[in-house]
Amino acid sequence: MRLVLLGAPGAGKGTQAVFLKERHNLAHISTGDIFRHNLKENTPLGLEAKKYMDAGQLVPDEIVMKMVGEKLSEFKPDEGFMLDGFPRTVAQAEFLEKQTKIDGVIMFKVSDDAIVKRLTSRAVCKDCGNVTNIHEHEKCPSCGGELYRRDDDNEATIRSRLKVFHEQTEALVEFYRSRGLLVEIDATGMPDEVFSRVIDALEND
Ligand code: AMP
């Protein structure tokens, strides 16, 4: 199974990907994680991407498509994966269509106000990548690791990322609906509640 996880930043795509990975044995491909990894390693790709990430803007299509194209070429035809954070523009979606067949697209729906609230309190574990709330935990509740805040999780950058989402990424809802691939999920509430909605939608269709 090959899925696209669609939704605003902070809609919970990454969290749901962890659950889906476990249940369906799907590889998790997050373009944001690949950029952050490159940035940590100080690669030219990471340094180039940082300019856009810090401003809450999209990294240019050509750069992202080349990177994703290389990543997808590592998969055998029968291997499943989830794309988290890609595509984000119609050009990227058209590119993806040429690369591989997608079986479904899950759109995680949350209001902008809820997103701002979530992201201004989001913390990520340095060791295991678990996402948690900075006001509720000092250490990772899953492994005890140190927590950090993402550089782009400040209110000004969050607002830019939401604007970009509405202007460029939301168009993909129609793109995938017209292809009969779209499943829309209410992504409010606790992660396990959202996941049971995902399972209902994916497995009872
Ligand atoms: P994310 O972790 O998905 O929130 O992505 C963090 C940042 O990485 C975004 O705000 C963009 O600057 C960049 N990014 C990630 N995926 C893409 C993409 N598909 N197209 C353009 N930029 C991206």
Side-chain angles (χ1 to χ4, degrees):
M1 184 161 53
R2 297 188 163 185
L3 300 175
V4 166
L5 310 184
L6 206 58
K13 303 183 294 292
T15 302
Q16 296 301 316
V18 173
F19 293 146
L20 276 166
K21 182 176 181 172
E22 211 163 276
R23 187 170 174 108
H24 285 291
N25 192 26
L26 301 174
H28 178 196
I29 306 171
S30 156
T31 41
D33 283 351
I34 301 175
F35 286 133
R36 280 183 288 278
H37 175 75
N38 273 277
L39 190 53
K40 215 170 139 198
E41 302 289 318
N42 269 315
T43 70
L45 174 67
L47 295 173
E48 179 64 16
K50 182 177 161 54
K51 294 190 255 173
Y52 301 95
M53 294 168 81
D54 283 351
Q57 298 297 318
L58 294 185
V59 176
D61 281 341
E62 315 80 71
I63 299 178
V64 190
M65 293 189 300
K66 181 167 181 287
M67 181 178 91
V68 171
E70 282 166 12
K71 185 80 202 161
L72 297 185
S73 69
E74 294 169 10
F75 287 83
K76 300 197 187 85
D78 61 339
E79 284 177 318
F81 55 72
M82 296 160 286
L83 284 162
D84 163 4
F86 183 92
R88 267 173 148 103
T89 63
V90 172
Q92 292 180 14
E94 286 168 345
F95 168 83
L96 179 62
E97 219 166 29
K98 293 194 194 112
Q99 300 288 310
T100 185
K101 178 176 168 290
I102 293 296
D103 301 298
V105 176
I106 308 175
M107 168 69 185
F108 294 94
K109 297 198 313 183
V110 197
S111 71
D112 284 8
D113 285 348
I115 296 277
V116 173
K117 217 165 147 193
R118 273 187 194 183
L119 292 187
T120 48
S121 57
R122 175 161 79 173
V124 185
C125 175
K126 273 190 177 159
D127 295 335
C128 72
N130 182 31
V131 173
T132 187
N133 185 315
I134 197 76
H135 303 303
E136 289 171 17
H137 301 282
E138 281 180 8
K139 294 272 177 197
C140 173
S142 173
C143 75
E146 198 183 326
L147 299 176
Y148 74 99
R149 305 278 332 280
R150 270 174 52 170
D151 287 345
D152 56 356
D153 279 349
N154 63 77
E155 187 152 354
T157 311
I158 294 166
R159 296 274 175 207
S160 309
R161 289 156 69 200
L162 274 171
K163 190 162 175 278
V164 166
F165 172 75
H166 292 307
E167 287 174 358
Q168 303 198 49
T169 310
E170 228 164 23
L172 298 182
V173 168
E174 218 25 69
F175 182 95
Y176 286 121
R177 186 181 286 134
S178 68
R179 285 157 174 76
L181 291 173
L182 191 76
V183 177
E184 291 181 88
I185 300 283
D186 168 9
T188 55
M190 299 302 285
D192 54 342
E193 292 166 354
V194 178
F195 189 56
S196 58
R197 291 177 207 136
V198 171
I199 292 304
D200 272 357
L202 274 187
E203 297 176 11
N204 300 330
D205 246 11

